[in-house]
Amino acid sequence: MTIREVRAALTALLKQAAPGVPVSKSDTDKPVVRPSFKIDIFPAEGNAACGGARERSIDVDVWYYPAERVEYLEECSEMAERLIAALEAGIDTGEIVLVPDDTVSTTISLGVLVLQFALSWCESAAETGEMMENLEYREEE
């Protein structure tokens, strides 16, 4: 599964949790549309697992720019509650449902809500159709 697929699934979750609120591209600086979301995804780890499988981990930041630049605290608090509840149900990627690893932390700074969490999953090795080799057991006396 690619980061692009995770981003698309998270975008769908945000649009369902907050209908009518657009999701801006993460590398768009200005103008900031209000209200809107921005998603930043950073690859954190990629490890080999058993049988050619891969363990993947990413860090996610979801930014919410409230409609109001002044008196935004209540709007941001309500959105944080809504998003945390949506994330508890998981992010359906079509392949698997990803649930945040530990906690979803929230911060409100300079009038912007930021949710931060990590996602991890394991990808199995691609099937080749080849049979496993026969195990040869050799005993020594």
Side-chain angles (χ1 to χ4, degrees), residues 3-104:
I3 288 178
R4 182 173 287 182
E5 291 169 325
V6 175
R7 182 185 307 279
L10 183 55
T11 298
L13 180 128
L14 293 175
K15 288 183 176 187
Q16 184 178 14
V21 178
V23 179
S24 302
K25 291 187 176 188
S26 62
D27 54 358
T28 302
D29 281 342
K30 295 182 181 179
V32 174
V33 177
R34 290 183 177 263
S36 69
F37 292 107
K38 182 175 90 166
I39 303 169
D40 288 333
I41 299 178
F42 307 101
E45 287 185 53
N47 300 313
C50 298
R54 304 283 305 161
E55 293 177 353
R56 304 274 314 268
S57 179
I58 58 175
D59 291 328
V60 180
D61 295 346
V62 175
W63 303 75
Y64 174 67
Y65 298 90
E68 297 298 324
R69 291 178 188 258
V70 181
E71 297 181 10
Y72 51 81
L73 188 58
E74 188 172 330
E75 182 182 350
C76 287
S77 297
E78 288 175 4
M79 185 58 72
E81 285 181 320
R82 209 183 312 174
L83 296 179
I84 289 170
L87 288 167
E88 286 174 352
I91 303 164
D92 187 355
T93 67
E95 294 179 37
I96 58 173
V97 175
L98 298 172
V99 179
D101 290 349
D102 293 319
T103 59
V104 176

